[in-house]
Amino acid sequence: MWSKLREYVALHERDDAGACGVGGEVWPAASALCEWLGNHSAEVCGSRILELGSGTGACGLYAAALGAASVQLTDGGPVELISLARANILRNRHLFRAGSSVEARRLRWEEHSPLPRDADLIIASDVWYRHADGAANAALARTLRELLDQPPKPRAIVAHEHRSREAPFDATLPRWDADDELLEAFAAAAREHGLRLGG
């Protein structure tokens, strides 16, 4: 699966000007998140999933195919992106468990939109792809904090591709993620909102 995603991204990575923007692409961290979901399929099956920054909906749709009871795909992108996610739901509904509910809606973190309720698991991949700025990171961290404080106390799994590294591996760095500016910018916002990142 990863090689197909990597080829797709390589072909379309510079095609960000389309109506769906970068959310209309399936980015590499989606593969890692889908692998996590697959490895935790017993937890996913029957659960209520909320995907933040869903874009095409690839990860949420995968969760639905694993048997999630409900999946809410959310993104703050243009209306065309929400339409794409809805079209992808229709194209893939034959893979979903009978009786499962899958829907897509707009959710902009910075607008303090009403948040979806009753999620067991919150998922996201590549949601800070271009967000080194403090406002976007703070809005995402605030949204995650509010969601995680709701009953039934869901947990959040966020996949991120390290993009800042110049060389593939530098053994002199103190940590494998030491030079990832995007990750560190989000981690700072997360700490300000009482969240901690796990590896």
PDB file of all heavy atoms in Angstrom, residues 168-188:
ATOM      1  N   PRO A 168      18.443  11.496   5.175  1.00  0.00           N
ATOM      2  CA  PRO A 168      17.527  10.437   5.590  1.00  0.00           C
ATOM      3  C   PRO A 168      17.700  10.037   7.049  1.00  0.00           C
ATOM      4  O   PRO A 168      16.757   9.741   7.729  1.00  0.00           O
ATOM      5  CB  PRO A 168      17.863   9.272   4.670  1.00  0.00           C
ATOM      6  CG  PRO A 168      18.731   9.810   3.605  1.00  0.00           C
ATOM      7  CD  PRO A 168      19.260  11.130   4.058  1.00  0.00           C
ATOM      8  N   PHE A 169      18.917  10.041   7.543  1.00  0.00           N
ATOM      9  CA  PHE A 169      19.150   9.688   8.942  1.00  0.00           C
ATOM     10  C   PHE A 169      20.443  10.340   9.387  1.00  0.00           C
ATOM     11  O   PHE A 169      21.448  10.307   8.685  1.00  0.00           O
ATOM     12  CB  PHE A 169      19.247   8.170   9.115  1.00  0.00           C
ATOM     13  CG  PHE A 169      19.505   7.770  10.540  1.00  0.00           C
ATOM     14  CD1 PHE A 169      18.491   7.855  11.475  1.00  0.00           C
ATOM     15  CD2 PHE A 169      20.753   7.337  10.944  1.00  0.00           C
ATOM     16  CE1 PHE A 169      18.711   7.507  12.795  1.00  0.00           C
ATOM     17  CE2 PHE A 169      20.973   6.976  12.261  1.00  0.00           C
ATOM     18  CZ  PHE A 169      19.945   7.062  13.190  1.00  0.00           C
ATOM     19  N   ASP A 170      20.424  10.937  10.547  1.00  0.00           N
ATOM     20  CA  ASP A 170      21.606  11.587  11.099  1.00  0.00           C
ATOM     21  C   ASP A 170      21.804  11.043  12.509  1.00  0.00           C
ATOM     22  O   ASP A 170      21.090  11.420  13.441  1.00  0.00           O
ATOM     23  CB  ASP A 170      21.411  13.106  11.116  1.00  0.00           C
ATOM     24  CG  ASP A 170      22.641  13.848  11.619  1.00  0.00           C
ATOM     25  OD1 ASP A 170      23.577  13.193  12.137  1.00  0.00           O
ATOM     26  OD2 ASP A 170      22.662  15.082  11.496  1.00  0.00           O
ATOM     27  N   ALA A 171      22.755  10.148  12.667  1.00  0.00           N
ATOM     28  CA  ALA A 171      22.990   9.484  13.948  1.00  0.00           C
ATOM     29  C   ALA A 171      23.491  10.446  15.015  1.00  0.00           C
ATOM     30  O   ALA A 171      23.505  10.106  16.199  1.00  0.00           O
ATOM     31  CB  ALA A 171      23.982   8.332  13.775  1.00  0.00           C
ATOM     32  N   THR A 172      23.896  11.657  14.635  1.00  0.00           N
ATOM     33  CA  THR A 172      24.406  12.607  15.629  1.00  0.00           C
ATOM     34  C   THR A 172      23.285  13.345  16.352  1.00  0.00           C
ATOM     35  O   THR A 172      23.530  13.998  17.362  1.00  0.00           O
ATOM     36  CB  THR A 172      25.334  13.642  14.976  1.00  0.00           C
ATOM     37  OG1 THR A 172      24.582  14.428  14.036  1.00  0.00           O
ATOM     38  CG2 THR A 172      26.499  12.959  14.264  1.00  0.00           C
ATOM     39  N   LEU A 173      22.075  13.267  15.848  1.00  0.00           N
ATOM     40  CA  LEU A 173      20.970  13.951  16.503  1.00  0.00           C
ATOM     41  C   LEU A 173      20.582  13.206  17.782  1.00  0.00           C
ATOM     42  O   LEU A 173      20.613  11.979  17.816  1.00  0.00           O
ATOM     43  CB  LEU A 173      19.760  14.036  15.572  1.00  0.00           C
ATOM     44  CG  LEU A 173      19.928  14.916  14.333  1.00  0.00           C
ATOM     45  CD1 LEU A 173      18.724  14.769  13.421  1.00  0.00           C
ATOM     46  CD2 LEU A 173      20.122  16.366  14.727  1.00  0.00           C
ATOM     47  N   PRO A 174      20.195  13.950  18.828  1.00  0.00           N
ATOM     48  CA  PRO A 174      19.855  13.290  20.090  1.00  0.00           C
ATOM     49  C   PRO A 174      18.590  12.440  20.020  1.00  0.00           C
ATOM     50  O   PRO A 174      18.436  11.498  20.778  1.00  0.00           O
ATOM     51  CB  PRO A 174      19.669  14.449  21.068  1.00  0.00           C
ATOM     52  CG  PRO A 174      19.425  15.639  20.224  1.00  0.00           C
ATOM     53  CD  PRO A 174      20.102  15.392  18.910  1.00  0.00           C
ATOM     54  N   ARG A 175      17.666  12.783  19.132  1.00  0.00           N
ATOM     55  CA  ARG A 175      16.420  12.026  18.968  1.00  0.00           C
ATOM     56  C   ARG A 175      16.127  11.895  17.486  1.00  0.00           C
ATOM     57  O   ARG A 175      16.507  12.739  16.678  1.00  0.00           O
ATOM     58  CB  ARG A 175      15.252  12.754  19.638  1.00  0.00           C
ATOM     59  CG  ARG A 175      15.324  12.806  21.124  1.00  0.00           C
ATOM     60  CD  ARG A 175      14.196  13.582  21.715  1.00  0.00           C
ATOM     61  NE  ARG A 175      12.971  13.446  20.940  1.00  0.00           N
ATOM     62  CZ  ARG A 175      11.767  13.647  21.425  1.00  0.00           C
ATOM     63  NH1 ARG A 175      11.604  13.973  22.667  1.00  0.00           N
ATOM     64  NH2 ARG A 175      10.699  13.528  20.661  1.00  0.00           N
ATOM     65  N   TRP A 176      15.390  10.875  17.098  1.00  0.00           N
ATOM     66  CA  TRP A 176      15.069  10.651  15.687  1.00  0.00           C
ATOM     67  C   TRP A 176      14.226  11.783  15.106  1.00  0.00           C
ATOM     68  O   TRP A 176      14.255  12.024  13.908  1.00  0.00           O
ATOM     69  CB  TRP A 176      14.368   9.308  15.494  1.00  0.00           C
ATOM     70  CG  TRP A 176      13.057   9.231  16.209  1.00  0.00           C
ATOM     71  CD1 TRP A 176      12.850   8.825  17.497  1.00  0.00           C
ATOM     72  CD2 TRP A 176      11.783   9.587  15.712  1.00  0.00           C
ATOM     73  NE1 TRP A 176      11.532   8.910  17.831  1.00  0.00           N
ATOM     74  CE2 TRP A 176      10.842   9.373  16.749  1.00  0.00           C
ATOM     75  CE3 TRP A 176      11.322  10.077  14.493  1.00  0.00           C
ATOM     76  CZ2 TRP A 176       9.497   9.637  16.595  1.00  0.00           C
ATOM     77  CZ3 TRP A 176       9.965  10.324  14.343  1.00  0.00           C
ATOM     78  CH2 TRP A 176       9.076  10.103  15.388  1.00  0.00           C
ATOM     79  N   ASP A 177      13.465  12.508  15.938  1.00  0.00           N
ATOM     80  CA  ASP A 177      12.605  13.586  15.458  1.00  0.00           C
ATOM     81  C   ASP A 177      13.131  14.970  15.844  1.00  0.00           C
ATOM     82  O   ASP A 177      12.404  15.952  15.819  1.00  0.00           O
ATOM     83  CB  ASP A 177      11.186  13.401  15.995  1.00  0.00           C
ATOM     84  CG  ASP A 177      11.133  13.414  17.519  1.00  0.00           C
ATOM     85  OD1 ASP A 177      12.203  13.339  18.157  1.00  0.00           O
ATOM     86  OD2 ASP A 177      10.018  13.507  18.048  1.00  0.00           O
ATOM     87  N   ALA A 178      14.419  15.055  16.171  1.00  0.00           N
ATOM     88  CA  ALA A 178      14.972  16.280  16.746  1.00  0.00           C
ATOM     89  C   ALA A 178      14.921  17.487  15.821  1.00  0.00           C
ATOM     90  O   ALA A 178      14.887  18.607  16.301  1.00  0.00           O
ATOM     91  CB  ALA A 178      16.409  16.030  17.187  1.00  0.00           C
ATOM     92  N   ASP A 179      14.927  17.310  14.536  1.00  0.00           N
ATOM     93  CA  ASP A 179      14.954  18.471  13.653  1.00  0.00           C
ATOM     94  C   ASP A 179      13.658  18.654  12.861  1.00  0.00           C
ATOM     95  O   ASP A 179      13.648  19.275  11.809  1.00  0.00           O
ATOM     96  CB  ASP A 179      16.160  18.395  12.706  1.00  0.00           C
ATOM     97  CG  ASP A 179      16.108  17.193  11.776  1.00  0.00           C
ATOM     98  OD1 ASP A 179      15.313  16.271  12.044  1.00  0.00           O
ATOM     99  OD2 ASP A 179      16.846  17.174  10.783  1.00  0.00           O
ATOM    100  N   ASP A 180      12.557  18.175  13.372  1.00  0.00           N
ATOM    101  CA  ASP A 180      11.271  18.315  12.688  1.00  0.00           C
ATOM    102  C   ASP A 180      10.565  19.568  13.212  1.00  0.00           C
ATOM    103  O   ASP A 180       9.903  19.554  14.241  1.00  0.00           O
ATOM    104  CB  ASP A 180      10.411  17.070  12.921  1.00  0.00           C
ATOM    105  CG  ASP A 180       9.162  17.057  12.056  1.00  0.00           C
ATOM    106  OD1 ASP A 180       8.627  18.144  11.760  1.00  0.00           O
ATOM    107  OD2 ASP A 180       8.731  15.960  11.689  1.00  0.00           O
ATOM    108  N   GLU A 181      10.699  20.664  12.479  1.00  0.00           N
ATOM    109  CA  GLU A 181      10.151  21.952  12.913  1.00  0.00           C
ATOM    110  C   GLU A 181       8.625  21.939  12.994  1.00  0.00           C
ATOM    111  O   GLU A 181       8.041  22.555  13.882  1.00  0.00           O
ATOM    112  CB  GLU A 181      10.616  23.060  11.972  1.00  0.00           C
ATOM    113  CG  GLU A 181      12.113  23.282  12.016  1.00  0.00           C
ATOM    114  CD  GLU A 181      12.603  24.176  10.891  1.00  0.00           C
ATOM    115  OE1 GLU A 181      11.774  24.709  10.127  1.00  0.00           O
ATOM    116  OE2 GLU A 181      13.829  24.334  10.784  1.00  0.00           O
ATOM    117  N   LEU A 182       7.977  21.260  12.063  1.00  0.00           N
ATOM    118  CA  LEU A 182       6.513  21.202  12.082  1.00  0.00           C
ATOM    119  C   LEU A 182       6.005  20.446  13.305  1.00  0.00           C
ATOM    120  O   LEU A 182       5.063  20.883  13.967  1.00  0.00           O
ATOM    121  CB  LEU A 182       5.978  20.553  10.803  1.00  0.00           C
ATOM    122  CG  LEU A 182       6.212  21.317   9.510  1.00  0.00           C
ATOM    123  CD1 LEU A 182       5.749  20.491   8.319  1.00  0.00           C
ATOM    124  CD2 LEU A 182       5.503  22.658   9.535  1.00  0.00           C
ATOM    125  N   LEU A 183       6.645  19.338  13.596  1.00  0.00           N
ATOM    126  CA  LEU A 183       6.251  18.554  14.767  1.00  0.00           C
ATOM    127  C   LEU A 183       6.504  19.348  16.044  1.00  0.00           C
ATOM    128  O   LEU A 183       5.659  19.379  16.938  1.00  0.00           O
ATOM    129  CB  LEU A 183       6.995  17.223  14.799  1.00  0.00           C
ATOM    130  CG  LEU A 183       6.684  16.310  15.987  1.00  0.00           C
ATOM    131  CD1 LEU A 183       5.214  15.935  16.025  1.00  0.00           C
ATOM    132  CD2 LEU A 183       7.549  15.063  15.921  1.00  0.00           C
ATOM    133  N   GLU A 184       7.650  19.995  16.130  1.00  0.00           N
ATOM    134  CA  GLU A 184       7.959  20.762  17.339  1.00  0.00           C
ATOM    135  C   GLU A 184       7.006  21.938  17.515  1.00  0.00           C
ATOM    136  O   GLU A 184       6.587  22.246  18.637  1.00  0.00           O
ATOM    137  CB  GLU A 184       9.405  21.258  17.320  1.00  0.00           C
ATOM    138  CG  GLU A 184       9.813  21.951  18.605  1.00  0.00           C
ATOM    139  CD  GLU A 184       9.442  21.206  19.882  1.00  0.00           C
ATOM    140  OE1 GLU A 184       9.634  19.982  19.957  1.00  0.00           O
ATOM    141  OE2 GLU A 184       8.940  21.858  20.821  1.00  0.00           O
ATOM    142  N   ALA A 185       6.600  22.586  16.424  1.00  0.00           N
ATOM    143  CA  ALA A 185       5.646  23.696  16.529  1.00  0.00           C
ATOM    144  C   ALA A 185       4.305  23.202  17.058  1.00  0.00           C
ATOM    145  O   ALA A 185       3.692  23.841  17.921  1.00  0.00           O
ATOM    146  CB  ALA A 185       5.467  24.363  15.169  1.00  0.00           C
ATOM    147  N   PHE A 186       3.854  22.048  16.574  1.00  0.00           N
ATOM    148  CA  PHE A 186       2.599  21.503  17.102  1.00  0.00           C
ATOM    149  C   PHE A 186       2.770  21.034  18.544  1.00  0.00           C
ATOM    150  O   PHE A 186       1.893  21.247  19.372  1.00  0.00           O
ATOM    151  CB  PHE A 186       2.042  20.368  16.246  1.00  0.00           C
ATOM    152  CG  PHE A 186       0.804  19.801  16.869  1.00  0.00           C
ATOM    153  CD1 PHE A 186      -0.377  20.518  16.852  1.00  0.00           C
ATOM    154  CD2 PHE A 186       0.839  18.599  17.546  1.00  0.00           C
ATOM    155  CE1 PHE A 186      -1.513  20.041  17.481  1.00  0.00           C
ATOM    156  CE2 PHE A 186      -0.300  18.104  18.175  1.00  0.00           C
ATOM    157  CZ  PHE A 186      -1.473  18.839  18.145  1.00  0.00           C
ATOM    158  N   ALA A 187       3.894  20.399  18.849  1.00  0.00           N
ATOM    159  CA  ALA A 187       4.127  19.910  20.209  1.00  0.00           C
ATOM    160  C   ALA A 187       4.089  21.063  21.217  1.00  0.00           C
ATOM    161  O   ALA A 187       3.548  20.914  22.315  1.00  0.00           O
ATOM    162  CB  ALA A 187       5.461  19.173  20.284  1.00  0.00           C
ATOM    163  N   ALA A 188       4.618  22.214  20.833  1.00  0.00           N
ATOM    164  CA  ALA A 188       4.586  23.382  21.722  1.00  0.00           C
ATOM    165  C   ALA A 188       3.145  23.821  21.978  1.00  0.00           C
ATOM    166  O   ALA A 188       2.757  24.093  23.114  1.00  0.00           O
ATOM    167  CB  ALA A 188       5.402  24.523  21.125  1.00  0.00           C
TER     168      ALA A 188
END
